[in-house]
Amino acid sequence: MLIKKPDPIKASEITPEPIYRNRRLFMQGLAGSAALALSGGAAAIPAYDLDADAPRYPGPDWLQSKLRAGARNEALSTAEKPAPYVNVITHNNFYEFGTGKQDPSRKAQNFKTDPWSVEIAGEVDKPGTYALEDLLQPHGIEERIYRLRCVEAWSMVIPWMGFPLGDLLKRFGPTSRAKYVAFTTLLDPEQMPGQGGFFSTLDWPYVEGLRMDEAMHPLTLLAVGLYGNALPPQNGAPFRLVVPWKYGFKSIKSIVRIELTESMPVTTWNQTAPNEYGFYANVNPEVDHPRWSQATERRLPSSLFSPNIIDTKPFNGYGDQVASLYSGMDLRKWF
Amino acid sequence: MVLTPERLRRLALWWLVFLLPLLPLAWLVERALAMDLGADPAQAIVQFTGIWTLRLLFVTLAVTPLRLMFRWAWLQRYRRMFGLYTLFYAVVHLLAFATFILGWRPDLLLRELSERPYIIVGTLALLLLIPLGVTSTRGMQRRLGPKWAKLHRLVYLIALLAMLHFIWQIRSSFQEQLIYGLILAWLLGFRLWKRRRRSRGARRQTA
Ligand code: HEM
């Protein structure tokens, strides 16, 4: 649902003053989402200055209350300045909706993200298919501000709302044979025009995977929101992965299936161009992609006056937390 | 000088052909000034100028086939303009890349120009365009004589390099590359076909 710009009539003209003031405080706090403003309440997420005319995505009712209860996890959030909301929702690589950066924000607006169900399959004690609402029910949502480093050598800072993937996996009882986790995006060429193409080099649906210890790592997030609102469809609504120390393509969007497996899953980009995209895809300034140097990145939004080039850090700056997962591995070979 | 209707028509046509190829650039500048190129204006500008370089190159290459097919003799006069615009857009494309993406950092320039195959062939295409631009004047044409035509056959190599530059950027869809590739195949195929017909005709005459 899109919420339009605020009405040109001043709210103070039609609303009793105390309520108005309350609401204004609230709107400052919660991104001015009109739908949220109507339901009132306190802002748990710190104030965001969202671009006034950018669309808002409040999400289904059941999600709104969860989002509102969420607070920022300061310990796991970067202090860097998040990219403006409008940039986060209009600069997306989501090839199911087209290969241009702005294609997803144009073509995904009618993407149906509610109701949504997710299948948990493979090496778990309790496989099954669950409505997203039920799947998320026991999990509290928190905010994490992460760096996102795209393999195309640009990066953004994004305030996600979500919860650790590990918490979810534990609930379903991984068996001793569970060594990897495979994720699958929705396959629906009717809604996702990019999947119908004769010209596509990718096999749909999109599949990504993690090793079990990567999946259980506390930084690995299942996101359902950003900037205090629900995930916009172009950002992978209603349910996506965020793995901040890996290139962005690992952070699969619009997940419908999570399967625990014994062998390493065949993942989409790795299968398409194994010499360009590894299974691990850890951010590594020392291993270049044939098209992009990975030694530096352009932090977006960049302006024409400053390309905003910064040095890329190993593991996207999360090395202290995750480097130990790969001790003893040759990261040039396992790129 | 008297402005006869014929001369007036020619003048108007010249201005039209002169101004038309500037429209894409004008549009781009307008978008850029309005800050309406998204989160990554640098990439948007490089992609836009790149595709227009290729399009103008194709327009230049289309002059001869169109002239022959539709007997548009007047078109020939504008071939040089299209060629120079191709060079112009290629230079803007390169400058945009060096300025907005690499910030003129010497280490990054050196790295991109030496390590990325698709950048190397793009640069080669641009470098080869320069002598063609320099020798595009009527005076040079006269001075070089038959060598001029030989030199300007480089444009076919340039087109192939530019196409390779584009093909090497395929990620998940080759639709655009296929369309441009088919157009180029036609532009070059037309010439081969003409040449074969000509040489066959010549052989028949000598036999
Ligand atoms: C005659 C010369 C050239 C032609 C015809 C040409 C054409 C193109 C085309 C068609 C594209 C794809 C645009 C798109 O994706 O829509 C492109 C992209 C690009 N070109 Fe060129 N190019 C030329 C020279 C160069 C040179 C000299 C450089 C740099 C040294 C260069 C650097 C790039 C880069 C970096 C991109 C990719 C932008 C991105 O997608 O991130 N090109 N070019």
Side-chain angles (χ1 to χ4, degrees):
Chain A
M1 185 172 75
L2 297 187
I3 305 293
K4 285 205 303 254
K5 275 192 218 189
D7 205 277
I9 303 171
K10 269 204 215 122
S12 56
E13 288 168 14
I14 48 175
T15 315
E17 182 68 4
I19 300 177
Y20 160 66
R21 219 187 277 130
N22 196 354
R23 181 191 294 181
R24 192 174 52 175
L25 278 179
F26 184 76
M27 301 229 303
Q28 284 165 351
L30 258 176
S33 159
L36 290 179
L38 288 178
S39 47
I45 305 294
Y48 282 122
D49 182 17
L50 296 203
D51 312 81
D53 51 359
R56 304 292 145 85
Y57 302 88
D61 292 339
W62 61 264
L63 185 58
Q64 286 178 35
S65 50
K66 282 184 96 76
L67 289 171
R68 237 173 297 130
R72 180 179 297 170
N73 185 328
E74 295 282 356
L76 296 181
S77 290
T78 171
E80 291 153 288
K81 190 171 180 297
Y85 174 68
V86 68
N87 294 147
V88 175
I89 66 167
T90 56
H91 191 84
N92 311 103
N93 275 331
F94 196 176
Y95 286 179
E96 281 83 343
F97 292 102
T99 54
K101 294 283 181 288
Q102 303 198 23
D103 285 343
S105 60
R106 290 184 188 130
K107 297 182 186 169
Q109 295 309 316
N110 296 322
F111 182 51
K112 205 166 180 305
T113 57
D114 180 57
W116 190 270
S117 53
V118 180
E119 183 190 355
I120 311 285
E123 299 295 340
V124 285
D125 295 334
K126 291 170 270 180
T129 300
Y130 303 87
L132 186 60
E133 179 178 1
D134 301 333
L135 196 66
L136 300 196
Q137 199 275 326
H139 299 282
I141 305 280
E142 63 183 30
E143 180 176 70
R144 306 241 185 128
I145 306 180
Y146 280 167
R147 293 176 289 273
L148 177 96
R149 171 63 158 78
C150 179
V151 71
E152 297 167 344
W154 54 267
S155 62
M156 273 193 192
V157 175
I158 302 175
W160 301 105
M161 306 282 297
F163 61 98
L165 168 66
D167 291 355
L168 181 124
L169 294 181
K170 274 181 232 151
R171 278 171 53 209
F172 293 90
T175 72
S176 59
R177 281 201 299 268
K179 300 281 190 315
Y180 295 91
V181 189
F183 306 86
T184 310
T185 296
L186 178 71
L187 178 66
D188 186 354
E190 296 265 308
Q191 291 202 79
M192 296 173 144
Q195 290 177 336
F198 164 77
F199 302 102
S200 176
T201 58
L202 300 185
D203 274 337
W204 307 109
Y206 193 80
V207 175
E208 258 310 334
L210 295 173
R211 216 169 55 188
M212 201 62 192
D213 56 345
E214 299 174 324
M216 301 305 290
H217 194 280
L219 280 175
T220 304
L221 198 72
L222 280 170
V224 293
L226 60 79
Y227 262 114
N229 288 320
L231 274 180
Q234 60 268 36
N235 295 81
F239 186 52
R240 68 168 289 169
L241 188 66
V242 180
V243 192
W245 72 92
K246 293 175 181 283
Y247 294 119
F249 69 87
K250 294 295 289 183
S251 293
I252 184 171
K253 302 185 177 83
S254 304
I255 298 167
V256 292
R257 190 162 190 273
I258 300 177
E259 182 184 2
L260 284 77
T261 62
E262 191 166 10
S263 53
M264 186 184 277
V266 176
T267 56
T268 301
W269 280 110
N270 181 233
Q271 180 190 25
T272 307
N275 54 330
E276 298 182 22
Y277 308 96
F279 172 82
Y280 287 94
N282 293 319
V283 175
N284 187 345
E286 296 188 352
V287 178
D288 278 358
H289 181 278
R291 286 258 314 279
W292 304 282
S293 162
Q294 303 298 14
T296 57
E297 67 202 49
R298 291 179 306 121
R299 175 61 56 81
L300 301 184
S302 66
S303 84
L304 293 180
F305 304 105
S306 135
N308 227 357
I309 300 168
I310 57 178
D311 286 342
T312 292
K313 298 203 186 84
F315 301 107
N316 200 21
Y318 296 96
D320 285 351
Q321 291 106 306
V322 302
S324 58
L325 296 177
Y326 310 99
S327 57
M329 271 172 78
D330 179 357
L331 293 176
R332 286 185 170 276
K333 182 164 170 242
W334 301 105
F335 61 88
Chain B
M1 210 162 44
V2 191
L3 269 181
T4 61
E6 171 57 23
R7 196 171 276 156
L8 200 66
R9 228 193 54 181
R10 253 210 207 180
L11 202 63
L13 194 62
W14 188 90
W15 276 100
L16 187 73
V17 176
F18 176 71
L19 290 176
L20 266 183
L22 283 174
L23 281 185
L25 191 66
W27 182 88
L28 184 69
V29 170
E30 197 268 319
R31 295 285 88 186
L33 292 179
M35 309 279 271
D36 201 16
L37 290 172
D40 194 354
Q43 195 198 27
I45 290 174
V46 173
Q47 289 188 341
F48 184 88
T49 51
I51 203 74
W52 276 99
T53 307
L54 192 64
R55 286 176 186 166
L56 283 161
L57 183 61
F58 283 12
V59 169
T60 314
L61 284 172
V63 166
T64 298
L66 292 179
R67 175 174 57 91
L68 293 176
M69 281 168 57
F70 301 106
R71 299 180 195 284
W72 286 347
W74 57 270
L75 198 58
Q76 186 68 13
R77 203 174 307 129
Y78 302 104
R79 191 172 67 172
R80 177 174 52 203
M81 183 117 75
F82 292 132
L84 286 173
Y85 265 124
T86 307
L87 175 59
F88 171 69
Y89 268 84
V91 169
V92 174
H93 180 56
L94 169 67
L95 291 179
F97 177 60
T99 309
F100 302 137
I101 302 246
L102 304 181
W104 287 104
R105 257 178 62 174
D107 56 328
L108 303 189
L109 274 166
L110 193 71
R111 184 184 77 192
E112 294 299 306
L113 287 173
S114 62
E115 290 178 16
R116 309 274 160 257
Y118 85 106
I119 300 271
I120 293 170
V121 296
T123 306
L124 213 55
L126 173 58
L127 288 178
L128 291 175
L129 273 173
I130 292 171
L132 302 198
V134 170
T135 59
S136 67
T137 60
R138 216 158 279 163
M140 279 305 243
Q141 198 166 355
R142 220 174 300 125
R143 208 167 327 149
L144 288 171
K147 272 189 274 175
W148 187 91
K150 231 184 203 165
L151 176 68
H152 279 248
R153 255 178 246 149
L154 272 179
V155 72
Y156 305 130
L157 177 63
I158 292 168
L160 291 172
L161 290 170
M163 200 58 224
L164 187 61
H165 172 67
F166 194 24
I167 287 172
W168 255 331
Q169 296 179 40
I170 293 177
R171 290 197 64 202
S172 79
S173 163
F174 54 89
Q175 181 171 4
E176 265 195 291
Q177 283 81 354
L178 184 69
I179 294 170
Y180 282 87
L182 287 175
I183 295 172
L184 182 61
W186 181 78
L187 289 170
L188 300 183
F190 180 88
R191 290 169 164 87
L192 282 178
W193 174 69
K194 271 278 169 205
R195 219 166 84 175
R196 269 193 40 200
R197 266 204 0 182
R198 227 180 300 134
S199 64
R200 217 183 288 149
R203 232 180 293 136
R204 219 174 285 136
Q205 269 179 0
T206 49

